[in-house]
């Protein structure tokens, strides 16, 4: 609690701006896209081999027509595009529409894909996407910040066709007896404020195990970023 208070004191201008209602619009429109672009580039390098392995079997989930219709939740700047197979039809969604510059840049770099549309939508509410209409859903570093993980997973299962797959790579809570978890607890309130609602201590594997996937593969991995309390990750996929 003392360390939390010290960190909050250092970040007191942010807390004041938040109290005045100024911080959230500024964070979502300017700061968060900027930070995600910089930190995301480092995370992409560290997690590249895990993503390559994760998305290797994406073509196996093509629909009966031979096409792969993919929906990405929380597309952000589009850093996952490079891992999708040629000809894949991608629908992008994000609750924050302020990633246009970096998203357009990644779309131009990855012209092996067909971009269907961009939807401003939260993971908990994908009503613009018809039920059973996609072959794969992808979600990386997003479940940490949704308002309801269980509601998001229900929407994932709704939009997936039977036999479709949900791919994920997410940072999670560390072992409770570890120093990593101690520092996650210290940083939690200020981190959540600075990083637009990102929660450091979610045990997301439990939510995935409780969801109604017929097959679920989860691997616990480490993705170490300098001075970041988000080293523990899970990666895998679930089949509807």
């Amino acid at each position: 609690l003392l360390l939390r208070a010290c960190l909050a004191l250092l970040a007191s201008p942010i807390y004041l701006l938040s109290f005045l209602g100024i911080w959230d619009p500024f964070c979502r429109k300017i700061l968060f896209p900027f930070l995600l672009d910089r930190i995301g580039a480092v995370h992409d390098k560290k997690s590249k081999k895990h993503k390559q392995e994760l998305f290797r079997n994406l073509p196996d989930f093509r629909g009966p027509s031979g096409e792969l219709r993919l929906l990405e939740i929380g597309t952000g700047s589009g850093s996952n595009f490079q891992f999708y197979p040629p000809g894949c039809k991608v629908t992008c969604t994000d609750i924050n529409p302020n990633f246009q510059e970096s998203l357009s840049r990644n779309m131009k770099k990855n012209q092996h894909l067909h971009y269907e549309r961009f939807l401003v939508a939260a993971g908990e509410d994908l009503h613009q996407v018809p039920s059973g209409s996609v072959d794969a859903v992808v979600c990386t570093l997003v479940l940490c910040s949704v308002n309801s993980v269980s509601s998001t997973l229900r929407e994932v299962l709704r939009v997936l066709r039977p036999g479709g797959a949900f791919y994920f790579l997410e940072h999670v809570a560390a072992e409770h007896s570890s120093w990593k978890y101690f520092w996650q607890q210290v940083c939690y309130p200020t981190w959540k404020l600075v990083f637009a609602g990102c929660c450091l201590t979610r045990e997301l594997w439990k939510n995935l195990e409780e969801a109604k996937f017929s097959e679920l593969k989860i691997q616990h991995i480490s993705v170490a970023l300098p001075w970041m309390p988000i080293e523990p990750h899970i990666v895998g996929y679930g089949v509807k």
Side-chain angles (χ1 to χ4, degrees):
L1 291 175
L2 177 61
L3 289 171
R4 271 189 180 182
C6 292
L7 189 57
L9 184 62
L10 289 171
S12 56
I14 296 175
Y15 281 88
L16 177 60
L17 290 173
S18 178
F19 177 76
L20 295 174
I22 300 170
W23 175 254
D24 191 58
F26 167 76
C27 180
R28 290 186 180 276
K29 188 171 184 178
I30 299 173
L31 181 65
F32 187 58
F34 173 81
L35 290 176
L36 200 62
D37 207 29
R38 301 303 183 275
I39 296 171
V42 178
H43 188 276
D44 287 342
K45 289 180 182 178
K46 297 280 188 178
S47 63
K48 186 174 182 178
K49 65 177 183 179
H50 297 295
K51 287 188 177 182
Q52 287 173 331
E53 181 64 29
L54 172 65
F55 296 123
R56 184 170 294 171
N57 69 341
L58 255 177
D60 296 345
F61 293 97
R62 295 182 190 275
S65 66
E67 295 179 333
L68 180 66
R69 299 160 301 168
L70 185 148
L71 171 74
E72 182 164 359
I73 298 174
T75 306
S77 62
S79 62
N80 291 326
F81 292 162
Q82 61 184 303
F83 302 105
Y84 300 158
C88 178
K89 293 188 173 182
V90 181
T91 297
C92 305
T93 74
D94 205 298
I95 195 172
N96 188 342
N98 298 299
F99 293 95
Q100 295 97 329
E101 186 178 336
S102 52
L103 182 61
S104 297
R105 188 167 60 244
N106 272 319
M107 283 179 167
K108 289 176 182 176
K109 282 183 184 177
N110 296 279
Q111 296 189 14
H112 63 290
L113 306 176
H114 298 297
Y115 300 102
E116 299 280 87
R117 54 180 175 160
F118 179 88
L119 304 174
V120 178
E124 303 94 328
D125 183 10
L126 300 171
H127 70 273
Q128 300 170 79
V129 183
S131 299
S133 63
V134 297
D135 304 303
V137 176
V138 172
C139 187
T140 60
L141 303 182
V142 173
L143 293 179
C144 58
S145 56
V146 297
N147 289 328
S148 171
V149 177
S150 57
S151 296
T152 301
L153 293 178
R154 278 196 296 272
E155 279 291 83
V156 166
L157 286 163
R158 181 186 66 78
V159 302
L160 276 174
R161 65 165 177 82
F166 171 57
Y167 288 80
F168 54 87
L169 188 152
E170 300 284 344
H171 69 81
V172 294
E175 288 286 339
H176 286 205
S177 59
S178 68
W179 279 106
K180 291 174 186 175
Y181 185 71
F182 174 82
W183 288 112
Q184 285 180 335
Q185 293 278 39
V186 170
C187 297
Y188 179 85
T190 301
W191 179 278
K192 187 174 182 180
L193 187 61
V194 173
F195 288 92
C198 175
C199 298
L200 290 170
T201 56
R202 286 185 174 173
E203 298 176 330
L204 295 171
W205 63 90
K206 294 182 179 178
N207 299 96
L208 288 159
E209 288 166 355
E210 291 168 1
K212 296 178 180 178
F213 291 104
S214 58
E215 179 186 350
L216 181 63
K217 296 184 182 296
I218 299 179
Q219 182 183 0
H220 289 257
I221 62 171
S222 292
V223 180
L225 299 179
W227 302 100
M228 294 282 177
I230 56 171
E231 183 176 336
H233 283 60
I234 56 170
V235 61
Y237 67 92
V239 178
K240 176 179 175 179

